[in-house]
C-alpha cells in the first residue's frame, strides 16, 4: 500500500462498532490489576501470558479471555481498562465508539453489576467531556449460558437503563443459536433497546438468518459467512443490514488462513454495509488502525473503499440522525482534498 493511502486510512474519521471492552485488557494491565487486587494468575509473566495467545478457534480464545477478565474487581478497574481503550481509539481517529460489555463474566464472580457499568460509563463520560468523543454501551448476553441467566441479567441492568443503548449476543456461537434467546430479545425490543448479535463468525449463515428473523437484530456482528448464501447476501444488501467485520480477529481465530483470503472486498462489492472493527484488540494483535492498515495491505482496497468504510461506520451506528449526518459530512470533507 502506498504511504498516501496508509495516511488516509489512519487519519480518516471513523466509528468503532464492535469492541468487547474486556478484550481491550492488555497483558500489562492484567498483571498490574492482579497485583493491585491480590488476584493469583496462572501465568508467571506478561511474556508468558502473551505466548498463550496462540488461538486455534473461538473457544480457545474465550477460555483465555475470561481468565484475563478475572482481575477486574473495582469500579476503578473498569474505568482504567476503558480509559486505556478510549485513548488508543482517539489516537486512531475514532470519533465514536459503541462498546460491548459482558456483565455475566463479572457478576458470576461476585462483582456487582453497578461496579461494572459505572466504571465503564465514567470513562465514556470523561472522553466526551475532554475530547468530544461520543460513545455508548451495548450489553452482551453470554450465549453459552441459559435464557434464565440472560433474563436475570436484564433484570439487574434495568435500574441502569440510561447507561446503555442496546443488547448483543456473544461467546461460543456453535451450538448456541440465536433462537435460544428469542424471548429475551423480544423483551429488550419492547424496552426500546437496540438489538445486535454475533452471527456467522464460526456459525453457519442460518444463524444470521435467525438473528434477523427471530431476534430482529439491526446489525450483525461478524457475519462474514453470509457469502455462502446468495439469497441471504442479497437480503442483507437490500435491507442495508450492517456487518461489523473484524479482520484481525478472523485471522487470529482461524476463520481465515491469511488476511489476503479475507472476503471484505467481496462483501463491499456485493453492496453490503460492511465496517472494520477490532473485536478484542489486546488479544488479536491490533486496534482500529492496525486492522485498517493490515487489511488494506493484504487486499486490493483503494481510496474509494476507505471512504466507503468510514461512511459505513457512521451510517451503521446508533447515533441520532443529525449527529450521524454531521459525522458523515466530516468524512466527505476529509475525502474532498
Ligand atoms: N465472538 C464471540 N464472543 C466474543 C468475541 C467474539 O469474537 N469476542 C469476545 N467475545
Ligand atoms: Zn465480537
Amino acid at each position: 500500500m502506498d504511504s498516501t493511502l496508509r495516511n488516509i486510512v489512519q487519519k480518516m474519521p471513523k466509528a468503532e462498532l464492535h469492541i468487547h471492552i474486556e478484550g481491550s485488557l492488555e497483558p500489562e494491565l492484567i498483571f498490574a490489576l492482579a497485583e493491585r487486587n491480590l488476584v493469583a494468575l496462572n501465568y508467571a509473566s506478561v511474556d508468558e501470558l502473551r505466548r498463550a495467545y496462540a488461538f486455534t478457534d473461538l473457544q480457545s480464545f474465550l477460555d483465555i479471555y475470561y481468565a484475563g477478565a478475572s482481575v477486574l474487581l473495582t469500579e476503578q478497574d473498569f474505568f482504567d481498562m476503558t480509559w486505556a481503550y478510549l485513548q488508543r481509539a482517539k489516537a486512531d481517529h475514532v470519533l465514536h465508539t459503541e462498546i460491548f460489555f459482558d456483565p455475566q463474566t463479572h457478576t458470576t464472580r461476585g462483582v456487582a453489576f453497578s461496579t461494572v457499568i459505572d466504571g465503564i460509563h465514567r470513562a465514556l463520560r470523561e472522553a466526551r467531556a475532554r475530547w468530544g468523543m461520543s460513545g455508548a454501551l451495548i450489553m452482551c448476553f453470554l450465549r453459552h449460558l441459559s435464557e434464565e441467566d440472560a433474563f436475570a441479567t436484564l433484570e439487574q441492568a434495568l435500574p441502569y437503563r440510561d447507561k446503555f443503548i442496546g443488547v448483543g449476543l456473544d461467546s461460543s456461537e456453535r451450538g448456541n443459536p440465536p433462537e435460544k434467546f428469542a424471548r429475551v430479545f423480544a423483551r429488550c425490543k419492547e424496552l426500546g433497546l437496540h438489538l445486535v448479535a454475533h452471527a456467522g463468525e464460526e456459525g453457519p449463515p442460518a444463524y444470521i438468518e435467525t438473528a434477523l428473523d427471530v431476534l430482529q437484530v439491526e446489525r450483525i456482528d461478524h457475519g462474514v459467512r453470509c457469502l455462502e448464501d446468495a439469497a441471504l447476501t442479497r437480503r442483507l444488501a437490500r435491507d442495508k443490514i450492517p456487518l461489523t467485520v473484524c479482520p484481525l480477529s478472523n485471522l487470529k481465530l482461524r476463520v481465515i488462513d491469511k488476511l489476503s483470503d479475507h472476503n471484505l472486498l467481496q462483501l463491499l462489492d456485493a453492496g453490503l454495509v460492511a465496517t472494520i472493527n477490532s473485536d478484542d484488540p489486546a488479544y488479536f494483535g491490533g486496534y482500529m488502525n492496525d486492522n485498517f492498515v493490515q487489511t488494506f495491505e493484504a487486499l486490493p482496497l483503494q481510496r474509494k473503499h476507505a471512504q466507503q468504510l468510514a461512511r459505513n461506520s457512521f451510517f451503521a451506528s446508533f447515533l441520532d440522525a443529525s449527529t450521524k449526518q454531521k459525522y458523515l459530512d466530516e468524512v466527505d470533507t476529509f475525502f474532498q482534498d
Side-chain angles (χ1 to χ4, degrees):
M1 171 173 51
D2 72 48
S3 62
T4 315
L5 185 54
R6 176 194 298 260
N7 208 36
I8 286 171
V9 301
Q10 287 174 331
K11 303 254 171 74
M12 68 185 185
K14 53 183 79 73
E16 175 147 56
L17 306 176
H18 186 158
I19 156 82
H20 302 263
I21 200 61
E22 294 89 349
S24 74
L25 201 48
E26 290 286 340
E28 288 77 9
L29 189 52
I30 291 179
F31 270 81
L33 294 179
E35 198 166 313
R36 186 157 100 187
N37 292 331
L38 305 174
V39 174
L41 289 171
N42 283 329
Y43 304 90
S45 66
V46 166
D47 281 347
E48 194 182 314
L49 177 57
R50 230 183 253 286
R51 274 198 296 276
Y53 294 1
F55 314 118
T56 49
D57 59 8
L58 177 57
Q59 193 57 51
S60 67
F61 153 69
L62 289 169
D63 294 341
I64 288 185
Y65 162 84
Y66 294 129
S70 70
V71 300
L72 295 158
L73 293 182
T74 68
E75 195 258 11
Q76 188 64 39
D77 299 341
F78 287 92
F79 175 89
D80 290 346
M81 168 177 67
T82 310
W83 188 245
Y85 159 70
L86 291 169
Q87 285 178 298
R88 289 174 183 263
K90 177 175 183 280
D92 285 355
H93 300 268
V94 171
L95 306 188
H96 174 73
T97 179
E98 296 181 5
I99 298 178
F100 293 137
F101 70 112
D102 287 342
Q104 288 156 298
T105 300
H106 315 297
T107 52
T108 51
R109 298 181 291 115
V111 177
F113 187 92
S114 59
T115 302
V116 179
I117 198 161
D118 287 348
I120 301 171
H121 195 262
R122 181 159 64 89
L124 277 178
R125 278 205 311 274
E126 183 94 12
R128 190 184 292 269
R130 282 211 206 178
W131 313 320
M133 186 194 278
S134 53
L137 293 180
I138 297 176
M139 175 173 82
C140 282
F141 299 114
L142 299 181
R143 68 202 302 159
H144 68 277
L145 299 180
S146 67
E147 179 196 44
E148 188 188 358
D149 222 311
F151 265 121
T153 301
L154 179 59
E155 209 52 49
Q156 283 179 308
L158 286 183
Y160 307 90
R161 174 67 186 83
D162 59 323
K163 290 200 165 94
F164 63 103
I165 61 162
V167 297
L169 192 60
D170 65 1
S171 194
S172 323
E173 187 179 10
R174 287 196 184 118
N176 295 297
E179 52 272 30
K180 179 174 169 185
F181 297 94
R183 292 187 293 190
V184 183
F185 271 64
R187 179 73 189 119
C188 291
K189 193 176 163 80
E190 277 172 12
L191 290 165
L193 287 158
H194 285 293
L195 308 178
V196 300
H198 283 55
E201 176 185 18
E202 283 190 340
Y207 283 19
I208 300 175
E209 227 153 13
T210 47
L212 293 170
D213 291 335
V214 181
L215 302 188
Q216 306 208 352
V217 300
E218 299 156 80
R219 289 198 302 245
I220 297 286
D221 296 311
H222 292 294
V224 288
R225 289 191 57 194
C226 71
L227 292 182
E228 294 170 25
D229 182 332
L232 174 63
T233 303
R234 281 194 300 275
R235 173 186 183 184
L236 291 167
R238 185 198 64 207
D239 295 344
K240 295 191 167 53
I241 304 289
L243 302 187
T244 62
V245 177
C246 308
L248 288 178
S249 166
N250 296 151
L251 179 66
K252 293 289 153 65
L253 300 186
R254 309 234 190 130
V255 171
I256 49 169
D257 290 333
K258 46 190 195 308
L259 216 44
S260 54
D261 288 341
H262 202 284
N263 64 10
L264 180 71
L265 184 52
Q266 285 97 294
L267 295 171
L268 290 171
D269 283 345
L272 298 182
V273 184
T275 63
I276 288 186
N277 308 270
S278 71
D279 207 4
D280 300 282
Y283 292 90
F284 299 151
Y287 289 78
M288 280 292 263
N289 282 356
D290 301 306
N291 273 275
F292 271 96
V293 167
Q294 291 187 43
T295 305
F296 271 71
E297 268 169 355
L299 300 173
L301 291 161
Q302 300 152 17
R303 177 189 163 95
K304 67 175 181 188
H305 300 112
Q307 183 168 9
Q308 189 68 57
L309 287 161
R311 293 192 107 263
N312 287 354
S313 73
F314 292 108
F315 174 84
S317 74
F318 292 134
L319 286 161
D320 65 84
S322 70
T323 311
K324 198 180 271 198
Q325 193 55 52
K326 184 195 79 161
Y327 282 130
L328 288 168
D329 290 346
E330 241 180 278
V331 172
D332 291 343
T333 302
F334 178 90
F335 278 93
Q336 246 163 33
D337 35 63

